Amino acid sequence: MQKLMMFMKRKDDVSFEEFRTHYETVHIPTVAKWVGHLFTQSRRYYPQNHINFYVGRPDADQAPAHDGGVDYDAVSVYTIRDEAALAELMRIAADPEFTRWVTDDEANFVDRARSRQTLTEEITGIGMS
């Protein structure tokens, strides 16, 4: 099963709340009008940045100070319906109107240079289901 993962970083001059509000109320709903039908599931995660899993470990002094090592303000995971949906997603992603809107809107709240996206394949197995 293929998933699109997006690791979003907000612009330095945008507060986390401004970022999250814009992402949830403007960006996601508008993008969904273009490509929402191609996904069977979407999830967004907002790191809480306070868990330290290094406690009690010999390398505890190497733990990240505040952010748990996560340098993103949102992680979005979209499950792509099937191969035909992936092909349609790529077609839409190349559409100049779609690209222009996404680029213009992201300029309002996203640090594109520090954000990442990747296509992944989900694998489950023993102990991981």
Side-chain angles (χ1 to χ4, degrees), residues 58-75:
D59 58 349
D61 62 328
Q62 297 175 30
H66 302 290
D67 68 357
V70 176
D71 195 25
Y72 299 103
D73 295 293
V75 177

Side-chain angles (χ1 to χ4, degrees), residues 13-70:
D13 62 343
V14 175
S15 74
F16 175 77
E17 285 306 317
E18 290 170 327
F19 167 86
R20 185 173 177 167
T21 298
H22 188 88
Y23 194 39
E24 292 289 336
T25 64
V26 176
H27 195 79
I28 294 295
T30 304
V31 170
K33 290 176 185 176
W34 288 77
V35 298
H37 65 287
L38 303 173
F39 304 115
T40 61
Q41 184 180 65
S42 68
R43 294 178 185 226
R44 286 178 297 288
Y45 304 90
Y46 295 94
Q48 296 177 353
N49 300 331
H50 67 272
I51 296 173
N52 182 351
F53 288 110
Y54 283 67
V55 173
R57 289 175 35 172
D59 58 349
D61 62 328
Q62 297 175 30
H66 302 290
D67 68 357
V70 176

Side-chain angles (χ1 to χ4, degrees), residues 1-2 13 17 24 39 42 63 74 83 85 89 96 113-114 116 120 128:
M1 176 180 319
Q2 290 189 317
D13 62 343
E17 285 306 317
E24 292 289 336
F39 304 115
S42 68
E83 288 297 320
L89 177 62
R114 295 191 303 174
R116 301 289 183 265
T120 65
M128 302 298 285

